Amino acid sequence: MVKLFFSLLITLIFIDIIYSQYVSPIRINYYFNDNITIVTNSSRYYFTKWSLLRHVAKRDDVRLVLDWTCNLNVNNKEERICTTSMAGKMAQLYGEDWYCDAKSGTSNQTYSNHLPDSLYPFPIIYNYTKPSTRGSTITVSGEYLRFGTGNPFNIDHVTVVMTDRDKFYTDNFDCQNIRFDFPSGCGTVVFNLNEHVSTFNTNIQYMNPSINNSTITFNFDSNNVEQTSKIQLIGNNFCNNVSLVNVSIGNELINTYDMISVDHDEIQFNYNSSKQLYTEKVPIVISAGGTPTLGNFFISFGPIINSINSVPSSTGGIVTINGQRLKLPPQPSSFTNISNINEDNYNKNLYKILIGNKECNYIQSTINQLTCSLPSGTGNNLSISLIINDIGVNSNQSTIITFSYGIPIIESYKINGNIVTLYGSSFGETNKTLIILNDKIHSTTTPSLKDHDDLVQVFNNESMLTFKLPGNLVNANVSIKTPNSKTSNTIQLETQLFVQSISSPKTVGSINPLQLYFINSTNENSIPQIKIFNNNSIVITIESNTTSKPNSTSYDGSLPYQFLFPKGCGKKIIQVEIGNQIVNSSFSYSPPTTMYCNRSNSDSMLMNCFGENFGTTSHGNSDNDKDDDSTTVITFSNQTISTISLNDTMFSFKLKESFYKSGLHIRVCGIDSLIDYEIKLDSFLKSISMFDKFNTSGGYILINGDYLSLDNIKPSFKCSGDNLSYSSNYCKLINGTEIKCLVSSSGSGSSINKTCSLYLNDIEQIDKKVQIFYHSPFVLNFTTTTTTIKINTTPTTNTTNTASPLNGTKTTTTNKNNIMSSTTFKRIPIYKSKGGQVLIFGGNFYDPIESVTIGGIKCINPIFIDYERLSCNLLPSSLKSKDESSSDQLLYVNVTVGGQSGGEYIFKYDNDEMNVNENENNDDGDDNDHKRLRWLVPVIIIPIVFVIGGLSVLAFIFKKKLPCFSQNNDLKNK
């Protein structure tokens, strides 16, 4: 056991001796370009010299010697500080091996050995040049880059060769700027720079990819529809590993399977360019191993033209370009919302369209269509230049689109029966443009024919053409050839069986022909049938009683057939069937026609009318006044009449006194008579009367009788006193028994005994007179005014222009003498104590105004303004009216015209000025009492003092002159 203990002790002492031979620094500091400082324990070994060796052949050459100066730390005797100067020596810090000399701090024992790796400094990198993705020489700049040997360097355990390895053993090696031959790669790699410090790694980033140029190869099918395009990018540092390369166009990442090839200087990939809806420049970004392109690179997607219309040479017109990307992308709302400017107008200067050498002025565009206005001109196959925001038309289209003036283009068609309407452009001229059907020129008639449907007619600036299609062409290819020998595109017309009714059947039933067009050749010998649908859901089927076979020399595809139509009326929906062809159509029965009417010989009040297609059932006087498919409605004198008898050719009805001369209108099952037969009834005059009392401006007179009509009689009136004739222009027929006429004979009251006489056709009816009575005046409102009246003695037409006088107005009127006056009113207050001018509103006023009173007070100098207004001057008054029981009581306004009076409680004074004055006087009286009291002493008392004083003086004088007076008094006293 003892032996084992001593063995362990000896081993530990040996290890301590061995360990103590090596320098174990407490800390080490490297100061760039200045010094290196190592602090050790004062009792242990410390460095005295470092020697940097380089191996040349078999010889070790000392490259650099660093001598250390060591001293005890004055602040801590247990530490030793050793320093070596690095001034001017940093550039020599490269070699293959470091040897160090050390000395013991206690026994002065020395040793030499390799410098421990732990003491090597970390390299300090200032910067480096990025390598190309193909691989290139880079320079790493910094300090302590090559403290030891010249290798190894590696990237992910792959050795990187130092470029200037051959200079490593010379004095020309720059250890602060070391060059390396970097291999191919991309992105960022981890680079181990020092074999002595294996944990020291630095990130080296390959160069950013850069795009120098791009090429788009657009692909189009035979119809110029855009297909998948190929994009080629030319540049640098793209990398050649497809798994590490990402390409983005706009916000879209290109899929790996769309990549065609990837190399350091070129990338090719497929791209669905049809996704680009607008003409614009789209940013493109490449990421190589996570390293993106620097700066912005854009790829342009320009407009594509698929087709273009033509316009007439003589007038020019609107050019429509169809294609793709024909519009700029929409701008942000904050950009375009400039006074609500239309976006097309805002951007119109960014669109430049040149056709040949003529500018086509931009109008508007969508994604797939652009329109512009092209002036007149000539030329074929003119080039089209379309530039949108400096981006031109994409090339590589399978067909180069050009423009030619005057080329007809058929865009669509419509067939109505056998009339074809073509829509498009540049259709030429009426009756000069040729129609080509199935590669043969269609023969049309000359313009001298009356049937214009047979002509080729061109409308709407050569954009619409109509022609008549032959009935034998079930389906046809159609094109046109214009007078300038230019032929349009060809379209196929799809025709259907078409029915044309030659004439309408009679309501009693009749044989009528139908013309059928576009019959298939397999159905030419078939017998057609017609199904007639009625509103009562009853279907009647009829067959043609003839078979029309085509004549090989004249057959044009349309065949006439005879049908026996049943009894009926109105409009009918039908279905025509011939062979396997069916078509829906309609026809109408013949309209009712009245040939003549006369009175019955046995009954003068019975009217008989004769004609055809009258139907069989009268509508009569039923409350149901709606059209019905099985009824006949007859109206006369604006009344629905009841028939006594009715059949298809005759009907009878009773006359009424209220009937008058008018047209007889017949509606059979919704079909109206084309011409109303006029029945003339002789008017019979009975009497005339007033409709009501006249207003002062005039009124209505009624004419009573039987079968009255303003066509038979022309009533007019003349009234006594005015010598004017009132014509029938102001008469209205109420019914056959009454005519109402407006007679504008002005007047008032009834004392003048005015009468009006009736004239018929300017002949006076002696026994037809009526005395006129007028309504009494009435009042509605008032205002107080000042009035300025201007009189113009020139006769004028009766005119009244009225506005509310409350805020002031100017009124132009005429009185009964036809003298025009201009009156201006202005609202002012009116006081009872002062009176004033009053404007009264009402009706049935007349000139002269006899009198006006307000609350019993006369309103003098009344002036007639018009039939609804007058003015007068209200006298002032200090008396309380019997109508004025309180300050809020309204006063009665009475107006007398033509011996008739009328009025209303409407008037009220403004604040009474007299009461205000009385109150003011009371206040003044109080002040006067004070003034009287002040003057009381000098005015009353002082005179009294003077009187008393004067009497005293007189008494004294009197006593002096009469001495006995005093003696007698003395005697009395005795």
Side-chain angles (χ1 to χ4, degrees), residues 889-908:
Q889 183 70 39
L890 295 177
L891 302 181
Y892 188 82
V893 177
N894 184 78
V895 176
T896 302
V897 175
Q900 298 183 123
S901 298
E904 188 59 67
Y905 289 93
I906 62 169
F907 186 84
K908 183 181 179 181

Side-chain angles (χ1 to χ4, degrees), residues 452-673:
H452 292 285
D453 288 341
D454 286 339
L455 302 178
V456 174
Q457 299 187 76
V458 178
F459 308 94
N460 297 345
N461 195 25
E462 301 185 34
S463 65
M464 186 171 74
L465 179 148
T466 62
F467 68 95
K468 192 172 183 178
L469 188 65
N472 61 336
L473 295 177
V474 176
N475 290 304
N477 294 322
V478 61
S479 61
I480 65 172
K481 188 174 183 180
T482 58
N484 59 8
S485 298
K486 292 182 179 180
T487 304
S488 73
N489 56 312
T490 300
I491 63 171
Q492 186 178 38
L493 302 179
E494 295 183 0
T495 59
Q496 294 180 345
L497 181 65
F498 166 59
V499 178
Q500 183 180 23
S501 179
I502 298 177
S503 61
S504 297
K506 296 183 178 181
T507 56
V508 294
S510 61
I511 296 176
N512 288 77
L514 287 182
Q515 193 84 8
L516 301 183
Y517 291 82
F518 312 128
I519 303 172
N520 291 338
S521 58
T522 56
N523 298 324
E524 291 171 356
N525 296 320
S526 301
I527 298 176
Q529 65 177 14
I530 298 175
K531 291 181 179 180
I532 303 175
F533 299 92
N534 292 308
N535 289 347
N536 54 14
S537 300
I538 298 176
V539 179
I540 301 174
T541 302
I542 59 175
E543 287 188 353
S544 174
N545 58 3
T546 60
T547 300
S548 297
K549 295 184 179 180
N551 187 318
S552 59
T553 60
S554 62
Y555 175 60
D556 64 353
S558 64
L559 297 175
Y561 295 89
Q562 299 289 332
F563 290 88
L564 176 59
F565 286 88
K567 183 177 183 179
C569 61
K571 184 176 181 179
K572 301 298 180 183
I573 303 299
I574 63 172
Q575 186 180 81
V576 180
E577 180 177 348
I578 180 169
N580 60 359
Q581 288 180 278
I582 298 176
V583 64
N584 294 322
S585 186
S586 64
F587 74 93
S588 295
Y589 279 89
S590 297
T593 302
T594 304
M595 298 179 180
Y596 64 95
C597 294
N598 55 31
R599 294 193 183 194
S600 173
N601 293 330
S602 59
D603 186 355
S604 62
M605 298 298 291
L606 182 65
M607 184 67 71
N608 298 319
C609 294
F610 302 89
E612 59 182 357
N613 302 312
F614 291 152
T616 58
T617 305
S618 174
H619 183 72
N621 291 320
S622 172
D623 292 335
N624 182 13
D625 195 28
K626 298 181 179 178
D627 292 338
D628 189 273
D629 280 346
S630 61
T631 59
T632 299
V633 181
I634 303 174
T635 56
F636 178 65
S637 298
N638 202 29
Q639 301 176 51
T640 300
I641 64 173
S642 297
T643 58
I644 297 175
S645 62
L646 172 66
N647 58 46
D648 283 296
T649 59
M650 179 265 185
F651 63 88
S652 302
F653 65 95
K654 282 283 189 177
L655 294 175
K656 297 180 181 179
E657 290 82 357
S658 59
F659 288 168
Y660 52 86
K661 176 186 175 183
S662 64
L664 184 70
H665 184 79
I666 306 174
R667 170 176 286 188
V668 178
C669 302
I671 304 296
D672 292 294
S673 54

Side-chain angles (χ1 to χ4, degrees), residues 118 131 165 170 184 205 266 271 273 348 359 384 418 466-467 485 552 649 710 774 822 882 931 968:
S118 61
R165 175 70 178 172
T170 70
S184 173
Q205 185 186 76
E266 180 188 54
Y271 179 66
S273 54
K348 68 183 306 180
E359 182 178 358
I384 305 170
N418 61 343
T466 62
F467 68 95
S485 298
S552 59
T649 59
L710 291 174
Y774 290 90
S822 177
K882 62 182 180 179
K931 293 179 181 179
N968 290 335

